[in-house]
Amino acid sequence: MEHIIKTYKEDEMINITSIVRDTVKESNVSSGIVTVFVPHTTAGVTINESYDPDVVTDILSTLKKLVPENPHYLHLEGNSHAHMKASIIGSSCTIIIENGDLKLGTWQGVFFCEFDGPRRRTFYTKVIGEK
Ligand code: ZN
């Protein structure tokens, strides 16, 4: 299933857990897996703490330190730092479905990670399993 989201900042992590959860519920799959896939080269998806918003802020600030903007990158578009952050984070996540719901830890959430926003973005979910 295709999902469209709008990002508002250059670097941003948007909690998409409720979208993924609703997709699983609508599929009526009770036991299986759901994959979340981001078809972009300067955005990604990850699972991390959704309870304390400072965690997301710390992840984004640490990625900024790890991958600074640098005028000497070869890629002429000027957004090599965003491509590198996207590769560090990765473009897909797989979550187990049990009893028709996501088998996430208490503090876990699924985050769409924007590194070259703001933009209109897409991600896909694919639910596989038994009803
Ligand atoms: Zn580029």
Side-chain angles (χ1 to χ4, degrees), residues 16 35-46 83-94 110-113 115 122-125:
I16 58 170
T35 291
V36 182
F37 178 74
V38 171
H40 300 292
T41 59
T42 56
V45 63
T46 194
H83 288 287
M84 289 176 211
K85 289 175 185 174
S87 268
I88 290 169
I89 289 293
S91 57
S92 71
C93 281
T94 301
V110 186
F111 291 89
F112 182 96
C113 304
F115 299 117
T122 302
F123 67 92
Y124 298 108
T125 50

Side-chain angles (χ1 to χ4, degrees), residues 48-110:
N48 214 298
E49 178 163 337
S50 59
Y51 181 73
D52 178 2
D54 285 345
V55 173
V56 159
T57 305
D58 287 343
I59 291 171
L60 291 174
S61 67
T62 300
L63 284 170
K64 217 174 187 89
K65 279 179 218 149
L66 285 172
V67 188
E69 290 187 44
N70 179 337
H72 302 296
Y73 290 133
L74 297 178
H75 179 51
L76 292 175
E77 201 186 7
N79 63 352
S80 271
H81 59 288
H83 288 287
M84 289 176 211
K85 289 175 185 174
S87 268
I88 290 169
I89 289 293
S91 57
S92 71
C93 281
T94 301
I95 304 154
I96 293 170
I97 301 163
E98 246 180 49
N99 300 318
D101 199 7
L102 304 173
K103 188 82 178 160
L104 288 171
T106 306
W107 312 113
Q108 285 184 316
V110 186

